[in-house]
Amino acid sequence: MKKIKFVAMVLVMATSLSLTAQKAKNKNMKKVLFVLTSHSDLGNTGEKTGFWVEEFAAPYYELADKGVIIDIATPLGGQPPIDPKSADASFATEDTKRFDKDTALQTKLSKTHKLADVKESDYDAVFYPGGHGPLWDLATDKNSSALIESFYTNNKPVAFVCHSPAVLKNVKVNGEFLVKGKNVTGFSNTEEAAVGLTDVVPFLLEDALQANGATYSKGADWNPYAVEDGLLITGQNPASSKLVAEKLLDQLNAKK
C-alpha cells in the first residue's frame, strides 16, 4: 500500500512539473496576430477579390513552423474572402499547395476573430497579408488603424506585404502619419498597371504612401523585395511574403 501511495505521489509530482514546464514554454512562445480583409468585390468590375493566398500561407507557415502562435482576425469575423485568381494553379507555390491540403488551417481560417474584439496586449506583433481587398475595407477601418498605432507605440513590430501597406493610409502616431519619414515599399504602380487595375482600385498604394511622407522604394516587378525601418516592415509583392516573415521573425527573436 505504501509503495502504491509513493508511486502515485511521484506521478502527481511529475505531472505537476510537466504542466509547469509547459506553462513556462507557452509564456515564452511568441504570438502574432494576422489581419485579413473582409472585402470581396473588385470595385465595379463585377469580379471578386479578397486576400491573396500566397501572402497568407507563406508567412503563416514560416512563422508557425518556428513555433510562433498565430491568431487570425478580420473586420467582420468568420471566413474571409479569397481572391479567386490567387487560388489558380498558375500562382501555386509549395506554401499554397500545403495550404490547399491543410484542413486544420482552413477550418481555423473560417472562424477568424472579429477585429474589434482583439487586443494588442495579447500579441507580440501584427502581420497584414495583402490582396486587393484591404484597399477597400482595412485602409479606412478605424479598429485596424487604432490597433496598428497601439502595436507601434508599445514597441512591437508591424508588418505588411503587397497591397496591405494600404492599411497604413490613415494611421497616425503622435499626430503624424506613421509612414512619414519612413522607408517603405508595397505593390508598385507599374505592377498595378501590369494587372490592369490602375483605374479600378480606389487609390494607388505607391502614391498614397508618398503622399503621407514615406520614402518609397521598390525592386524589380514581381521579385522579392522588403524594407525594414525600425518596427515597420513592408514587402512589395506576393514574392516578398516570406522575406517579410523572416524579417518579422528576426525581430521577434531579438525580443527575449
Side-chain angles (χ1 to χ4, degrees):
M1 181 65 78
K2 288 183 178 180
K3 188 174 182 180
I4 293 174
K5 287 183 177 180
F6 176 75
V7 171
M9 284 180 62
V10 170
L11 289 172
V12 169
M13 289 176 65
T15 301
S16 178
L17 288 170
S18 177
L19 289 172
T20 301
Q22 186 62 45
K23 286 180 180 178
K25 181 181 178 182
N26 289 341
K27 187 176 181 181
N28 292 326
M29 290 178 75
K30 301 299 182 181
K31 194 172 183 182
V32 173
L33 177 68
F34 272 43
V35 181
L36 293 169
T37 181
S38 290
H39 185 86
S40 62
D41 294 321
L42 188 61
N44 297 318
T45 63
E47 297 180 23
K48 292 299 181 181
T49 187
F51 75 87
W52 198 262
V53 175
E54 181 182 2
E55 295 168 29
F56 168 73
Y60 188 96
Y61 291 127
E62 178 66 23
L63 295 173
D65 288 349
K66 303 296 192 305
V68 176
I69 299 170
I70 299 172
D71 283 346
I72 311 169
T74 56
L76 300 180
Q79 176 70 51
I82 294 175
D83 188 311
K85 291 181 181 177
S86 74
D88 189 275
S90 61
F91 292 110
T93 66
E94 291 306 310
D95 291 306
T96 64
K97 291 175 184 177
R98 179 177 173 183
F99 171 76
D100 290 341
K101 299 175 182 177
D102 193 342
T103 55
L105 179 53
Q106 290 176 28
T107 297
K108 180 178 180 178
L109 187 64
S110 72
K111 301 175 181 179
T112 67
H113 300 286
K114 202 169 184 178
L115 192 56
D117 297 334
V118 299
K119 298 178 181 177
E120 162 271 318
S121 57
D122 292 333
Y123 302 93
D124 298 291
V126 65
F127 180 86
Y128 282 71
H132 281 89
L135 294 171
W136 277 275
D137 63 351
L138 289 170
T140 56
D141 190 290
K142 292 182 179 179
N143 290 315
S144 175
S145 294
L147 192 69
I148 294 167
E149 179 186 2
S150 185
F151 271 95
Y152 193 83
T153 55
N154 282 284
N155 198 38
K156 296 178 180 180
V158 291
F160 312 85
V161 68
C162 201
H163 282 91
S164 73
V167 307
L168 294 165
K169 190 171 187 289
N170 296 312
V171 179
K172 292 185 176 182
V173 174
N174 298 323
E176 297 279 6
F177 288 113
L178 187 154
V179 299
K180 184 178 181 180
K182 300 289 194 310
N183 296 302
V184 300
T185 190
F187 203 63
S188 66
N189 288 353
T190 52
E191 288 168 319
E192 201 68 81
V195 297
L197 295 175
T198 299
D199 297 323
V200 173
V201 293
F203 60 90
L204 292 172
L205 174 56
E206 180 180 332
D207 292 352
L209 291 171
Q210 291 177 325
N212 285 352
T215 300
Y216 176 89
S217 64
K218 67 172 187 173
D221 287 358
W222 315 116
N223 282 270
Y225 182 76
V227 175
E228 188 173 5
D229 192 331
L231 297 169
L232 178 61
I233 307 169
T234 50
Q236 182 178 330
N237 47 37
S240 310
S241 303
K242 186 166 289 188
L243 183 55
V244 172
E246 289 170 354
K247 289 181 178 296
L248 176 57
L249 188 62
D250 286 343
Q251 288 208 25
L252 289 171
N253 289 335
K255 293 177 180 291
K256 299 298 182 181

